[in-house]
Amino acid sequence: MAPIERLWVGFGSESGTARALAHRLGAHPALKAHPHQVLPLNEIDVGQLGDGDVLLAVSSSFGHGEPPANGEQFVEALRQAPALPGLRYAVFGLGDTGYPQFCGFTKALDALLQARQAQPIMNRVDADASFEDFFERWAPTLGEVLAGRPDAGRDLHLQVTAYSEDNAFEAPIVARRRLNTSDPAAWHLSLDLRGSGIVHRAGDTLHVIPENDPALLAELARWYGQNEAVEQLRHKELRQPGKSVLRELARMSGSEALKSLLKVSQRTALEAYLHGTDLLDILQDHATPDSVPLARLVELLSPCLPRAYSIASHGQAETVDLCIREVRYQQRGRERRGAATGWLLGNAGHARVYCRSNPGFHLPEDLDSPLVMVGTGTGIAPLMALMQEVHATGMPREVCLVFGEKQREHDFLYREVLEQWQAAGRLSTLMTAFSRDGAEKFYVQHALAANVGHISDLLSRGAHLYVCGNKRHLDGAVQEAIDPMVPQAAGWAALQAQGRVHCELY
């Protein structure tokens, strides 16, 4: 390597993680022989960079792969800069695989530097939350490169795979356990993520890309009179056709009834018609195999849409757990099963999955604020994960759980675990609301109101409120119960303004 005249450690950071890592790099023995400065990227003058300079960029990505605020001016100046053939650089990117644009900014920065003819001295690092291992391997190797051994870093590839709808991980399904004795069934599932590199937190979502029900595919093949329909439609969306698909089907078939349903004024009627139906129903009602040829249908349909589920386990395990409600019913003489639940609970041995971050449902950063959690049915899933993460941190935190279902005897999901946690002190308070056990309906909002003193005390001490479950049942009901418990006149709105309300309603 040519002599190093100046060395810069530039960071782009929103939360402080990249800034702290940049200062660690600055103090690392790898840089001991080279005078250097650790600065925000914005404080590095692009116009002064040139021969003999080395830039070590350590940065996170903000939002949808955008630069952090203290890196925006640097990038803009770099875009307008002339060629920089004498500049050498290395990029260490921090990101979250739960975001679609994983390490988006640092990938773009690497590309922009190369476009300006700057020379990379190390392969770009794409690290996730488990960046420590990457840093411990990268920094010493960087020291060797800076000491004049450029070959040392050429075989070091530190890049986490970011999964997506087009690049999902095939996770083995390792456990299925029914959680209730009533119908519809609720199930606990475990999927093996070993070898995937997927990192998630309590509160995040797992997206499942299902395969279609073989019985439905067989019926479509029978309707068309073409066996090849099974394979051609196996990975197409057959349960949730969009408006554009319906409009094209109406145009091709000439169905006036379907055209009428698609009018804006018929929105309610269309929703009622589509409830519980699938593509075969629509074809049988409004088309013929000749009016909608199979080849055209295959072109028209999108791939199977991912179904999102709240994760029911914290991120330190090798498996990821889900709590799901089985969808199974009879309609028009055919048994119907949910696209994803039918696949997950059928004979499938695996599922194609990817994870997405959900920071609005993560634990609060302050480690001592109490938590009030309200969950109904399978809405308890992310609350189970949050309680596991509380325990995993080793920091004591007061947790109050309010769980609602139909009957205690048949529908108390995770009963043994929750009662064990309560007995061990991991769960401070466990309140239940079983709506069908008494002469009058009793829901979670009634349980909150019945314990107004305790809930008000928790809220007055800065408690965060987590609510998960059916939107139709919970939206507004919990707010009305909480409103009078907040000292400020604004009630629920005050909690929202303080960032203490976290809702996952579906």
Side-chain angles (χ1 to χ4, degrees):
M1 291 182 65
I4 298 173
E5 297 182 8
R6 295 184 301 178
L7 191 150
W8 311 88
V9 179
F11 62 84
S13 182
E14 286 289 337
S15 66
T17 302
R19 179 177 63 247
L21 193 62
H23 282 285
R24 278 178 58 187
L25 178 61
H28 197 278
L31 302 190
K32 187 176 182 179
H34 306 281
H36 56 274
Q37 293 188 63
V38 181
L39 296 170
L41 284 169
N42 283 352
E43 295 184 18
I44 297 175
D45 187 349
V46 174
Q48 297 300 313
L49 295 177
D51 293 346
D53 289 339
V54 174
L55 169 66
L56 306 177
V58 180
S59 180
S60 61
S61 295
F62 180 70
H64 298 289
E66 300 163 4
N70 52 11
E72 289 179 332
Q73 296 174 20
F74 176 84
V75 173
E76 187 57 35
L78 190 59
R79 288 194 181 101
Q80 300 176 21
L84 298 169
L87 175 65
R88 289 162 287 176
Y89 74 94
V91 175
F92 193 108
L94 298 169
D96 186 336
T97 54
Y99 287 91
Q101 300 299 323
F102 169 62
C103 285
F105 166 60
T106 44
K107 290 176 181 177
L109 177 62
D110 181 29
L112 185 56
L113 285 164
Q114 290 195 46
R116 293 294 174 270
Q117 301 179 26
Q119 303 300 310
I121 59 174
M122 297 274 287
N123 297 314
R124 186 190 69 245
V125 177
D126 300 333
D128 60 10
S130 302
F131 62 83
E132 287 289 349
D133 175 62
F134 279 12
F135 183 76
E136 292 302 321
R137 294 163 62 188
W138 180 75
T141 307
L142 173 65
E144 293 185 48
V145 172
L146 295 177
R149 295 185 291 277
D151 291 347
R154 288 176 182 168
D155 294 329
L156 186 65
H157 297 276
L158 302 173
Q159 296 179 331
V160 172
T161 301
Y163 295 97
S164 66
E165 184 175 346
D166 298 324
N167 180 35
F169 176 71
E170 193 164 295
I173 300 173
V174 295
R176 297 181 179 94
R177 175 168 57 91
R178 186 162 177 168
L179 297 172
N180 64 345
T181 57
S182 66
D183 289 323
W187 292 82
H188 177 88
L189 270 69
S190 294
L191 294 89
D192 191 345
L193 296 183
R194 285 180 297 180
S196 69
I198 292 176
V199 177
H200 63 86
R201 285 190 58 181
D204 290 345
T205 56
L206 190 76
H207 292 243
V208 177
I209 303 175
E211 290 192 21
N212 284 305
D213 183 358
L216 173 58
L217 292 168
E219 288 292 336
L220 281 162
R222 188 175 297 111
W223 189 76
Y224 269 108
Q226 300 182 49
N227 291 333
E228 55 268 31
V230 172
E231 286 305 318
Q232 293 186 34
L233 297 175
R234 185 180 300 281
H235 299 288
K236 294 294 185 176
E237 181 54 54
L238 305 179
R239 296 301 302 271
Q240 298 179 13
K243 281 283 190 70
S244 61
V245 171
L246 294 174
R247 289 193 186 98
E248 183 62 13
L249 291 177
R251 186 195 67 77
M252 293 172 65
S253 66
S255 171
E256 294 300 326
L258 185 53
K259 291 177 182 177
S260 177
L261 281 171
L262 289 168
K263 293 178 180 178
V264 175
S265 61
Q266 297 299 307
R267 178 180 176 182
T268 302
L270 178 63
E271 290 177 353
Y273 171 71
L274 293 177
H275 182 70
T277 65
D278 54 35
L279 184 67
L280 177 59
D281 295 321
I282 298 168
L283 292 174
Q284 289 174 333
D285 290 345
H286 303 285
T288 65
D290 291 333
S291 65
V292 182
L294 176 60
R296 177 63 184 124
L297 182 68
V298 171
E299 292 176 353
L300 186 61
L301 297 176
S302 69
C304 280
L305 298 174
R307 271 63 172 180
Y309 295 94
S310 294
I311 292 173
S313 54
H314 72 99
Q316 295 182 5
E318 293 179 330
T319 58
V320 61
D321 295 343
L322 302 178
C323 176
I324 65 175
R325 184 77 68 182
E326 185 172 11
V327 177
R328 178 183 289 187
Y329 57 96
Q330 290 281 339
Q331 186 166 304
R332 301 193 188 190
R334 287 195 288 123
E335 182 178 72
R336 316 295 178 96
R337 305 188 72 183
T341 58
W343 176 255
L344 292 170
L345 299 175
N347 296 320
H350 69 276
R352 295 172 59 231
V353 302
Y354 61 95
C355 186
R356 284 290 173 261
S357 181
N358 185 21
F361 216 75
H362 289 169
L363 288 176
E365 293 185 3
D366 52 300
L367 299 177
D368 55 356
S369 60
L371 306 177
V372 177
M373 300 182 176
V374 182
T376 58
T378 56
I380 195 173
L383 310 185
M384 295 294 292
L386 291 170
M387 287 184 282
Q388 291 176 43
E389 188 167 295
V390 167
H391 180 68
T393 63
M395 299 295 293
R397 193 194 286 265
E398 193 169 356
V399 180
C400 170
L401 173 66
V402 185
F403 174 66
E405 251 289 3
K406 292 180 180 178
Q407 295 179 307
R408 177 181 295 272
E409 182 180 353
H410 302 292
D411 304 302
F412 197 162
L413 310 186
Y414 297 108
R415 178 175 184 171
E416 290 185 6
V417 174
L418 293 174
E419 291 180 343
Q420 288 173 4
W421 286 355
Q422 186 181 27
R426 290 177 58 179
L427 178 57
S428 311
T429 309
L430 175 59
M431 303 176 189
T432 55
F434 294 100
S435 60
R436 303 297 191 272
D437 276 354
E440 297 183 1
K441 301 291 178 62
F442 188 77
Y443 298 111
V444 289
Q445 60 266 33
H446 301 132
L448 289 167
N451 293 273
V452 60
H454 182 52
I455 302 298
S456 296
D457 175 61
L458 293 173
L459 293 173
S460 70
R461 291 190 280 120
H464 282 245
L465 178 65
Y466 291 81
V467 183
C468 187
N470 188 286
K471 180 179 178 66
R472 184 165 60 91
H473 297 151
L474 291 182
D475 194 23
V478 174
Q479 177 178 340
E480 290 178 8
I482 293 293
D483 254 333
M485 302 183 193
V486 184
Q488 297 94 327
W492 179 272
L495 296 179
Q496 286 184 313
Q498 296 164 19
R500 292 164 57 194
V501 175
H502 314 267
C503 292
E504 279 292 305
L505 304 178
Y506 47 86

